[in-house]
Amino acid sequence: MEVLQIDHTPVDIILVDETFRQPLGRPYLTVAIDVYSRCIAGFLLSFDPPSATSVGLCIAHAASAKYSYLRALGIDDHEWPVSGIPGGLYVDNAAEFHSEALTRGCEQHGIALNYRPVATPHYGGIVERLIGTLMQMIHEVAGTTFSNPVERGDYDSDGQACMTLAELEQWMALAIVGRYHDDLHGGLLEPPIARWRRGVSVIGAPRSITQSQAFLVDFLPVLRRRVTREGFRLDHISYFSNALHPWIAERDRLGLFMIRRDPRDLSRIFALDQAGQFYVEVPCARLDRLSITLFEHRQAVARLKAEGRSHVDEDSIFRAVGKQRELARAAAAARPGVNLPGSLETAVL
């Protein structure tokens, strides 16, 4: 974990939706590789294009212990011991790697942030070779697009598509811990997991994170807002906590607050105090609100505007999301053998 290389790629596969199993398109993969051992430290699959959010979530996954993660995916017979706070990151010059969320998070945790020299792609060769290896594995899965139209030939990627995003994540995790980590690496002349364990036996385990949630918050996207008499307001949603009373009392003398939020769960935000010393967790002002994702939020707003709403408010957004979920449940119930995605039950993607 002294040096991680991180990069993104569109995945060579067409995925389907959870309810109707209709083609949705290609997801994106963000992946982090430990340069020393060539072990995969963490990854993220998402339909959203690469962003500061995907980078932050990938880093948090890389740093976190993965026992519970594998158990949640139903992978009980494999281990993924790769975790710890990275010593440094090696990335390209894309905008998401220059974000305030990433630079501040790295500064806070003593992680060196190194950029490839411009026009020197070979400097990121390790992670790019890894991506090539993972895509070769993907080419074995139904719905693959292969690497190019010539290789795909007459294969009907849309017609053969059958995996959802959640199923691909499970497949990817199993491919990592059950195949890639245990295969002989041509450059190392030993399996990546064997090199990892040998490195740990010599120099000790990397420094671990003590609070996974706090570490994640430090890499979440940054917004700035002023505190008002009602608390904070972000994208039509009000957030309030009694812990804000001292700030509210001084609001006329306070500037903008730095806010972080997890796009997978808009039920709360994290506000940094003006001295930059601690975050205050602030829930929705209405505690009975659904826990929704930023993707659901944007879908609801777009739908309301498409209906001709000149004014979009918090109540209408949550009603729209609730209606969308009910439609999905009804559609799933009408199709035998279709299971509801976990996000509709837990409200967190």
Side-chain angles (χ1 to χ4, degrees):
M1 298 296 283
E2 184 61 27
V3 178
L4 297 185
Q5 286 188 7
I6 303 178
D7 209 348
H8 320 276
T9 188
V11 184
D12 294 342
I13 191 171
I14 301 296
L15 297 183
V16 298
D17 69 275
E18 298 269 8
T19 303
F20 298 104
R21 296 279 166 168
Q22 295 300 306
L24 286 177
R26 297 169 65 184
Y28 293 91
L29 169 68
T30 301
V31 64
I33 184 172
D34 172 47
V35 170
Y36 169 77
S37 68
R38 302 300 200 271
C39 281
I40 296 174
F43 74 97
L44 178 79
L45 287 165
S46 173
F47 281 116
D48 292 325
S51 65
T53 300
S54 52
V55 174
L57 293 176
C58 181
I59 292 172
H61 187 225
S64 300
K66 299 174 181 65
Y67 177 85
S68 297
Y69 173 75
L70 291 179
R71 299 296 86 76
L73 292 179
I75 302 174
D76 300 315
D77 52 350
H78 293 280
E79 295 181 353
W80 193 349
V82 184
S83 65
I85 299 176
L89 306 178
Y90 208 87
V91 297
D92 64 27
N93 287 277
E96 61 269 17
F97 293 119
H98 287 273
S99 70
E100 181 182 9
L102 179 60
T103 54
R104 288 181 66 99
C106 287
E107 289 172 1
Q108 186 160 352
H109 291 279
I111 301 171
L113 188 54
N114 304 294
Y115 297 95
R116 299 183 198 174
V118 177
T120 55
H122 59 281
Y123 274 88
I126 291 175
V127 69
E128 289 173 357
R129 284 192 292 274
L130 169 66
I131 286 174
T133 298
L134 293 176
M135 291 309 103
Q136 284 299 315
M137 293 182 181
I138 287 288
H139 296 169
E140 304 169 2
V141 181
T144 180
T145 61
F146 295 94
S147 298
N148 54 65
V150 174
E151 188 179 358
R152 183 166 64 251
D154 296 331
Y155 183 77
D156 182 6
S157 300
D158 282 13
Q160 296 298 316
C162 60
M163 294 186 76
T164 66
L165 186 67
E167 289 164 348
L168 179 62
E169 180 178 1
Q170 184 180 32
W171 181 94
M172 184 73 71
L174 191 56
I176 291 169
V177 299
R179 183 171 171 183
Y180 171 80
H181 279 172
D182 287 329
D183 280 352
L184 182 69
H185 191 282
L188 302 177
L189 301 181
E190 63 180 323
I193 198 65
R195 186 170 175 87
W196 169 273
R197 291 191 171 112
R198 184 157 59 84
V200 169
S201 69
V202 173
I203 64 172
R207 56 190 177 123
S208 61
I209 55 177
T210 56
Q211 294 182 314
S212 298
Q213 179 66 39
F215 185 88
L216 170 62
V217 169
D218 289 332
F219 287 92
L220 291 177
V222 172
L223 304 93
R224 284 183 167 78
R225 295 291 189 276
R226 290 187 180 277
V227 67
T228 69
R229 187 179 287 104
E230 289 78 31
F232 293 104
R233 189 169 181 80
L234 282 77
D235 294 330
H236 310 290
I237 301 177
S238 296
Y239 296 88
F240 180 81
S241 166
N242 288 331
L244 298 181
H245 282 310
W247 296 352
I248 293 173
E250 298 287 328
R251 64 186 180 281
D252 293 336
R253 291 186 288 274
L254 298 177
L256 295 171
F257 283 82
M258 189 175 78
I259 308 291
R260 294 186 188 258
R261 68 176 176 186
D262 189 334
R264 302 167 300 176
D265 180 7
L266 302 190
S267 67
R268 57 185 175 175
I269 59 173
F270 303 89
L272 185 66
D273 78 299
Q274 296 271 290
Q277 296 180 343
F278 60 89
Y279 283 97
V280 172
E281 182 176 328
V282 188
C284 284
R286 285 269 305 274
L287 297 179
D288 60 340
R289 290 296 192 198
L290 294 171
S291 176
I292 68 174
T293 69
L294 185 59
F295 180 75
E296 287 178 308
H297 178 282
R298 288 172 176 166
Q299 279 189 316
V301 171
R303 178 180 176 183
L304 291 168
K305 289 183 176 179
E307 293 174 353
R309 298 285 189 94
S310 59
H311 176 69
V312 175
D313 58 30
E314 181 175 336
D315 286 336
S316 62
I317 289 172
F318 280 92
R319 281 197 302 270
V321 172
K323 186 175 181 180
Q324 288 168 342
R325 291 181 179 177
E326 286 303 321
L327 288 171
R329 288 190 178 92
R335 289 173 60 86
V338 173
N339 296 319
L340 285 171
S343 58
L344 291 177
E345 298 303 323
T346 65
V348 180
L349 289 177

